[in-house]
Amino acid sequence: MGNYTTVSGDQWDIISYNLFGTEDYTGDIMQANLEYADVVIFPAGILLNIPEIQAVNDGLPAWRDEIDMEMGEEGY
């Protein structure tokens, strides 16, 4: 698990996008920082825990990834 120090105006989805290139991990970051779950717009200087992300998702839901793997498909 890593850390991230907020800058003034940061929001959960912006942090996810800046760190991982997608908003898909907003919930993961929030889950790792429940004490700040009620914050919408961060002030500068808040140290957040950033969970390790296993793999970058291509936008498909997890159940679709599993079906595609079973069928030997790599996408749509």
Side-chain angles (χ1 to χ4, degrees):
M1 188 173 295
N3 294 310
Y4 173 81
T5 303
T6 62
V7 295
S8 182
D10 269 345
Q11 297 176 26
W12 292 107
D13 57 340
I14 292 171
I15 295 167
S16 176
Y17 185 81
N18 288 340
L19 294 176
F20 301 110
T22 179
E23 296 91 357
D24 291 348
Y25 302 110
T26 301
D28 297 299
I29 298 170
M30 291 179 77
Q31 195 68 29
N33 298 280
L34 291 176
E35 65 273 25
Y36 299 108
D38 62 340
V39 176
V40 176
I41 301 174
F42 283 95
I46 303 295
L47 185 64
L48 298 176
N49 296 312
I50 304 300
E52 295 203 20
I53 303 301
Q54 296 299 323
V56 175
N57 187 322
D58 61 0
L60 295 175
W63 61 266
R64 177 63 194 257
D65 288 341
E66 292 170 12
I67 290 172
D68 288 347
M69 281 188 236
E70 290 172 7
M71 297 179 74
E73 297 177 13
E74 292 185 19
Y76 295 102

